[in-house]
Every structure is written in C-alpha cells, then in structure tokens.
Amino acid sequence: MPSRILSTAVAAAAATTGLVALTVGPAYAAGVTPASTFITATSTNVKFSGTLSGLNFSVSCTNSSLTFTTPSSGYGPVNTSDPVFGGTCKDSFGGTATVKTNHTNGAWTLLAIAVGPKVQATMPKAGATFSTTTLPGCVVTAAPTGPVNLTGNYDNGTGYWHLVNAPVAFSASGCGAVSPTGTVSGDFLTSPKVNIS
C-alpha cells in the first residue's frame, strides 16, 4: 500500500513538473516585431485641420510616407525619416498646398505602446510648414514652440496606424489669425506589417 501511494505521488510530481516546464518554457519577448527591420508607412488620406481668420481651413494630401527601422528589442522610440506629405495636396478652398518637413530642431520619432496598442509620433519643434496658392505669402508652422506628440491606435491585424484628430499646435505668418491648436488625421499602412505585443 505505501508503495502504491509513493508511486502515485511520484506520478503526480512528474505531471506537475512537466506542467511547470511547459509554463516556464520559451516565450515571445514583448515589443515590436519584426525587430531591426526597415519599414515604410504610407497614407492616402492625411488631413491637417484648423481655423484661419475664423474660417475652417484644412490641407489634405493623397500620398504621404515615412520610413524607420524597428527597434532591436522593446518599443523604441526610433528615429524616422522626415515624413513626406505629398501626392496631390489641396486646401479646403481648392488651392494647391505644399507641406515641407524638417529635423532642424530634432528628429521625428516613433514609439510603440503595448496598451491599445498605439503608436506615438513626435514632431520636433517647427517640424512642418504649410503654404497654399489660396493665400500667397501665408505660412503656417506646426509645433511652433516645442515638440508635439501625435498618438493613434494601431491595428496588428491590418498593419494600420490610425490618427484621428490628433492635436497639433499651429502658428502663422502673413495670413491672419490661425487657431493655436488644430488636428491631424490619417491612416498609415506599415510595410512589412508591424506587430506590437
């Protein structure tokens, strides 16, 4: 009888040990995958919105992009290329718009956030300027006094980063009063597709 109890206990211990071994086996590290990979993110619908001299005013671009290399581990942040807001850019009055970006005051960066998941882009101080044929001589500057964080949800299934009315500060010269805070929206598709876990 004692031997039967002993063998049962040994079997139970073996089963438990096996379970523990499975539990503490190799696990995927949290962070961005694929790691250390060159990524292109593109959008066909970026829109900057605000008010100009009391009127609603926006600039929309049909072919925008930025590139970056995912971190070797973890979530970043990582530097990106200066985004290109291009294709056909139009203002809300039908004029042709030009958006210029720079890294004069620091790099553009991306940070992955596990909860959500989300992606946060940081635009450096005065990192983008806007001009338009509707108002010659008018220049609008984004993030005029310091960096601005632009945060949006990320979809692991589709590879899309969704910016929806992310706040961004504006200032203007040569075109009347501009709203101190406007928004940017757009859907950026990562290629190859990024996963945030």
Side-chain angles (χ1 to χ4, degrees):
M1 185 66 123
S3 62
R4 183 179 301 170
I5 294 172
L6 181 60
S7 63
T8 302
V10 170
T16 303
T17 303
L19 180 60
V20 171
L22 288 174
T23 304
V24 298
Y28 291 104
V32 178
T33 53
S36 303
T37 301
F38 185 78
I39 305 292
T40 300
T42 56
S43 177
T44 60
N45 64 346
V46 172
K47 182 177 182 179
F48 295 89
S49 302
T51 63
L52 197 57
S53 296
L55 300 174
N56 290 330
F57 190 80
S58 64
V59 169
S60 299
C61 297
T62 61
N63 187 9
S64 302
S65 64
L66 59 89
T67 60
F68 61 97
T69 298
T70 54
S72 58
S73 63
Y75 300 97
V78 295
N79 291 349
T80 77
S81 63
D82 293 348
V84 174
F85 298 107
T88 301
C89 292
K90 294 285 188 181
D91 66 39
S92 50
F93 298 116
T96 299
T98 301
V99 184
K100 295 180 179 180
T101 58
N102 68 83
H103 54 272
T104 302
N105 298 304
W108 289 73
T109 65
L110 285 180
L111 172 68
I113 301 170
V115 178
K118 298 179 185 293
V119 171
Q120 177 180 282
T122 298
M123 178 191 299
K125 177 183 176 181
T129 58
F130 308 83
S131 59
T132 174
T133 58
T134 299
L135 294 168
C138 168
V139 177
V140 174
T141 300
T145 61
V148 171
N149 294 329
L150 307 171
T151 304
N153 292 330
Y154 183 78
D155 189 325
N156 281 326
T158 63
Y160 271 102
W161 174 41
H162 302 285
L163 280 174
V164 181
N165 296 324
V168 57
F170 290 121
S171 68
S173 63
C175 42
V178 65
S179 52
T181 302
T183 62
V184 58
S185 299
D187 300 304
F188 283 84
L189 177 63
T190 58
S191 178
K193 185 172 69 174
V194 169
N195 188 83
I196 302 171
S197 60

